[in-house]
Amino acid sequence: MKTSRISGFYKLDVEERLKILKNFAELSHEEVELLKKSKIGLEIANSMIENVVGTFELPIGIATNFLIDGKEYLIPMVIEEPSVVAAASNGARIARIKGGFETYYTGSIMIGQIQILTNNPFSAKFEILRHKDEIIEFANDMESSIIKIGGGCKDLFVREFDEMIVVNLLIDVKDAMGANFINTMCERVAHFLERITKGKALLRILSNLCPQRLAISKAIFDKNAVGGEDIVKGIMKAYELAKVDVYRCATHNKGIMNGVCAVLIATGNDFRAVESACHAYSAMKGYKPLTHYEVNEEGDLVGYIELPMSVGVVGGVRANPLARICLKILGVKSAEELARVIASVGLAQNFSALRALVAEGIQRGHMRLHAKSLAISAGAKGDEVEKVVERMIEEGKISLSRAKEILKEIRV
């Protein structure tokens, strides 16, 4: 009988795991070989996570046209959803008519949290604040390359609750995402806080919400390139709906994350951490859109985006050789520069999605790419692909079975 209870699976090498997996899932030889094909190599993959049996590939696309703070960028994006790379490129193309994207970065401060259980939370808070300078000095008295270049704990604040307090360390992580550094510092400081408060430390971990680490981007979208005054007005109305309706706001923000997460994955960063931070940041403001739009005196659309951005260009993000290549393509030299770029991609993505929704409906581009995927799945090669796609779109029948029928007709 099949069971997923496999003792010592993590101790096996990749080949042994694959044998077990082949029997369990009744995989064919071809399917096992496909799992074994890896751009990064199974040895590297096996060092990154547990119980490795292969790697899973996603397309790497290049978004073009980005001019950010006067610098030209080609931006690698890893994503499976059609239209995203094209939309980002198109948004950047329109933005550069008026000078491209301008950005601002608030700094690389993250928050580390230590939860202290105590029956006297206000007394504990008082003692923490009274010893603040000592706590910060103690926190920074550790061996770390981040501290050597000027990072480390810079301040703290305390929040009190029933029978507990939370000490929030404000930590400058420089060019790192910072999770390991923050967690290590929190572990170190927790014992010191226990002595000061006479309480018991429980959780010691970073917060992924980082409102002190914001990347802000602005772009002016020429009204004529956007499609005229009516399209500009339509985008503003769509934006107003996202401001007042939480259901629309969720989808509005998801569209932003299409672009943001695609760059995060390409550069080896933790896209789940950034996504959770962005949605929490939106919720802090009453669940509002992460972008803001205005119309200037010339009638052009002016877009802004403001995102908490915990990204790095050193440490674990460089474990994947493909991520290193993508960072090289991008040409960023610091976490700050990467954050500025990602915010600009998010703004371009959101603008293009709103424009498509208002001007023609977003499904049009999706359906063409979907039809192309079906044509390839049906076995179309070379020029056959576009012929099958055009026929399906003309007929309004986009399915694998119809793609096969059309391909057969073309070949006959």
Side-chain angles (χ1 to χ4, degrees):
M1 187 174 70
K2 292 181 180 180
T3 177
S4 64
R5 178 68 185 98
I6 306 172
S7 179
F9 190 72
Y10 70 97
K11 297 179 181 178
L12 303 177
D13 63 30
V14 176
E15 287 289 342
E16 291 172 316
R17 291 181 202 144
L18 281 168
K19 287 178 183 177
I20 293 172
L21 191 63
K22 181 180 181 181
N23 293 330
F24 184 90
E26 298 177 4
L27 299 178
S28 68
H29 174 73
E30 290 75 17
E31 288 169 330
V32 172
E33 288 302 307
L34 188 59
L35 279 174
K36 290 168 67 175
K37 288 182 179 178
S38 170
K39 290 289 190 299
I40 66 172
L42 292 180
E43 185 176 347
I44 292 175
N46 199 40
S47 70
M48 293 171 69
I49 66 166
E50 306 80 25
N51 297 348
V52 166
V53 296
T55 58
F56 188 97
E57 292 184 353
L58 290 171
I60 301 175
I62 299 294
T64 58
N65 306 321
F66 276 86
L67 179 63
I68 303 170
D69 295 323
K71 181 178 175 179
E72 300 282 357
Y73 292 90
L74 289 176
I75 300 179
M77 301 176 71
V78 173
I79 192 167
E80 85 297 342
E81 184 174 330
S83 301
V84 171
V85 177
S89 301
N90 193 45
R93 178 185 62 80
I94 295 174
R96 72 184 292 130
I97 294 171
K98 295 283 186 174
F101 299 88
E102 296 179 73
T103 68
Y104 179 74
Y105 185 67
T106 64
S108 47
I109 297 292
M110 298 284 289
I111 293 175
Q113 296 189 297
I114 303 104
Q115 177 190 24
I116 303 291
L117 305 181
T118 174
N119 292 324
N120 303 294
F122 283 91
S123 174
K125 177 180 178 179
F126 179 81
E127 291 302 316
I128 294 292
L129 295 177
R130 195 165 69 88
H131 292 84
K132 184 172 82 167
D133 291 343
E134 294 172 55
I135 295 168
I136 293 172
E137 183 179 356
F138 182 80
N140 290 324
D141 187 21
M142 56 185 279
E143 280 295 317
S144 166
S145 58
I146 292 176
I147 290 176
K148 287 177 181 176
I149 61 172
C153 185
K154 302 301 179 183
D155 203 351
L156 65 81
F157 66 93
V158 185
R159 301 181 71 197
E160 72 281 349
F161 304 94
D162 290 341
E163 298 184 346
M164 74 176 87
I165 62 170
V166 178
V167 180
N168 297 272
L169 304 179
L170 299 178
I171 303 170
D172 188 347
V173 296
K174 297 300 183 183
D175 283 329
M177 184 273 181
N180 291 333
F181 174 63
I182 294 167
N183 292 341
T184 300
M185 183 173 284
C186 287
E187 289 284 354
R188 174 179 173 76
V189 171
H191 303 295
F192 192 55
L193 297 182
E194 285 180 325
R195 292 201 300 271
I196 292 171
T197 63
K198 304 297 189 288
K200 177 175 175 54
L202 191 57
L203 298 185
R204 299 154 244 206
I205 191 169
L206 87 162
S207 170
N208 287 123
L209 178 58
C210 48
Q212 290 88 0
R213 196 178 187 181
L214 298 178
I216 303 167
S217 184
K218 170 192 174 183
I220 300 173
F221 301 99
D222 180 83
K223 66 179 178 183
N224 295 318
V226 169
E229 186 178 337
D230 288 343
I231 301 298
V232 171
K233 286 181 179 178
I235 290 173
M236 288 302 299
K237 288 295 183 184
Y239 163 64
E240 291 295 333
L241 175 61
K243 286 174 64 177
V244 298
D245 182 75
V246 67
Y247 297 99
R248 172 59 203 150
C249 185
T251 309
H252 180 105
N253 286 345
K254 185 268 181 187
I256 294 168
M257 303 314 293
N258 278 343
V260 168
C261 290
V263 184
L264 291 167
I265 295 170
T267 57
N269 276 279
D270 187 345
F271 68 95
R272 301 160 304 278
V274 175
E275 184 145 14
S276 68
C278 288
H279 290 298
Y281 189 64
S282 172
M284 282 177 68
K285 300 189 293 183
Y287 212 93
K288 298 297 182 183
L290 293 164
T291 50
H292 173 80
Y293 290 94
E294 301 170 352
V295 178
N296 65 16
E297 292 179 356
E298 288 75 37
D300 298 323
L301 187 71
V302 185
Y304 302 85
I305 193 167
E306 189 174 287
L307 302 177
M309 192 58 60
S310 55
V311 294
V313 295
V314 297
V317 301
R318 301 187 68 85
N320 186 330
L322 285 175
R324 294 199 295 271
I325 293 171
C326 287
L327 282 167
K328 186 175 182 179
I329 292 168
L330 198 51
V332 296
K333 304 301 182 186
S334 65
E336 173 180 340
E337 186 181 1
L338 178 59
R340 291 171 184 260
V341 167
I342 293 174
S344 300
V345 172
L347 178 56
Q349 199 74 52
N350 183 241
F351 158 74
S352 291
L354 290 175
R355 180 170 177 261
L357 282 167
V358 170
E360 58 186 26
I362 202 134
Q363 194 66 1
R364 189 175 178 183
H366 278 279
M367 290 313 295
R368 173 166 283 278
L369 285 168
H370 178 54
K372 185 175 181 180
S373 176
L374 291 174
I376 293 170
S377 297
K381 307 288 185 184
D383 294 342
E384 293 175 338
V385 175
E386 280 305 313
K387 291 176 181 178
V388 173
V389 168
E390 290 299 333
R391 282 277 299 277
M392 284 195 290
I393 290 175
E394 285 175 12
E395 296 172 4
K397 297 177 181 178
I398 301 176
S399 68
L400 181 59
S401 60
R402 185 56 186 144
K404 289 179 179 179
E405 291 171 0
I406 294 170
L407 181 61
K408 186 176 180 181
E409 293 171 12
I410 289 171
R411 288 179 172 174
V412 169

